[in-house]
Amino acid sequence: MKIYKGEFDKKLELQIAPAIMAGFPSPAEEYFSETLDFNRDMIRHPEATFYGRVKGDSMIDVGIEEGDIAVIDKSVIAEHGDIVIAYLNGEFNVKRLDMTHRDDGYIELKSENPTGPNFRISEDDNFQVWGVVVYTIKQWKK
């Protein structure tokens, strides 16, 4: 995974549709009155926010696929169950943090794909939770 620093000091306003139904269709609104500024509304800690493009398919069961962009906040404290960017023995990995065995002397990084690798982390590993994935951006049409 390559990590990129974002530029969050610019406005990036996009129109928001009033309601998008995922069930039965509803009459369309004639106008859009609300806007979303990606940098203002979705980036809580600009100085600690980075982007990373996902490689591999180890997180497909939670909808994170190769080519998706992970929005990573380094200032968020990782908790059990979070999807994190972990620096493990010289490589960045996106995995789910499993701290259920912390009292036994290890934690795990879990794939969300039955064929993906899981990692058992002990004090001998060069390991750091580098950041927490707060959003993902997916391209639907290529």
Side-chain angles (χ1 to χ4, degrees):
M1 171 177 276
K2 290 184 179 181
I3 306 291
Y4 304 94
K5 179 68 179 146
E7 292 183 30
F8 304 111
D9 58 344
K10 300 174 183 156
K11 283 185 127 183
L12 178 60
E13 287 191 351
L14 307 169
Q15 295 286 319
I16 297 179
I20 300 173
M21 301 301 290
F24 294 102
S26 67
E29 295 280 338
E30 295 280 331
Y31 60 93
F32 293 65
S33 61
E34 188 178 356
T35 61
L36 166 79
D37 183 327
F38 184 82
N39 291 332
R40 179 194 68 219
D41 298 330
M42 303 189 78
I43 305 301
R44 297 290 174 223
H45 307 106
E47 67 287 345
T49 300
F50 295 80
Y51 296 106
R53 189 169 299 277
V54 175
K55 292 182 91 175
D57 64 357
S58 70
M59 299 301 286
I60 59 173
D61 286 353
V62 291
I64 301 174
E65 301 177 78
E66 180 149 351
D68 289 354
I69 297 171
V71 180
I72 308 152
D73 190 331
K74 289 187 67 172
S75 69
V76 174
I77 296 172
E79 298 177 359
H80 171 74
D82 283 344
I83 296 175
V84 300
I85 303 301
Y87 185 77
L88 175 61
N89 298 327
E91 290 186 359
F92 287 105
N93 287 277
V94 58
K95 297 283 185 266
R96 185 170 304 278
L97 182 62
D98 182 343
M99 297 174 42
T100 55
H101 300 285
R102 191 174 204 164
D103 292 341
D104 300 324
Y106 69 95
I107 62 173
E108 292 181 299
L109 296 173
K110 298 238 175 157
S111 293
E112 292 289 347
N113 178 345
T115 64
N118 295 322
F119 300 107
R120 182 174 167 166
I121 311 300
S122 70
E123 61 185 36
D124 297 331
D125 289 300
N126 180 8
F127 168 75
Q128 175 185 4
V129 172
W130 195 82
V132 175
V133 176
V134 292
Y135 293 101
T136 55
I137 303 169
K138 178 179 295 298
Q139 181 177 355
W140 288 98
K141 184 168 176 73
K142 296 180 173 131

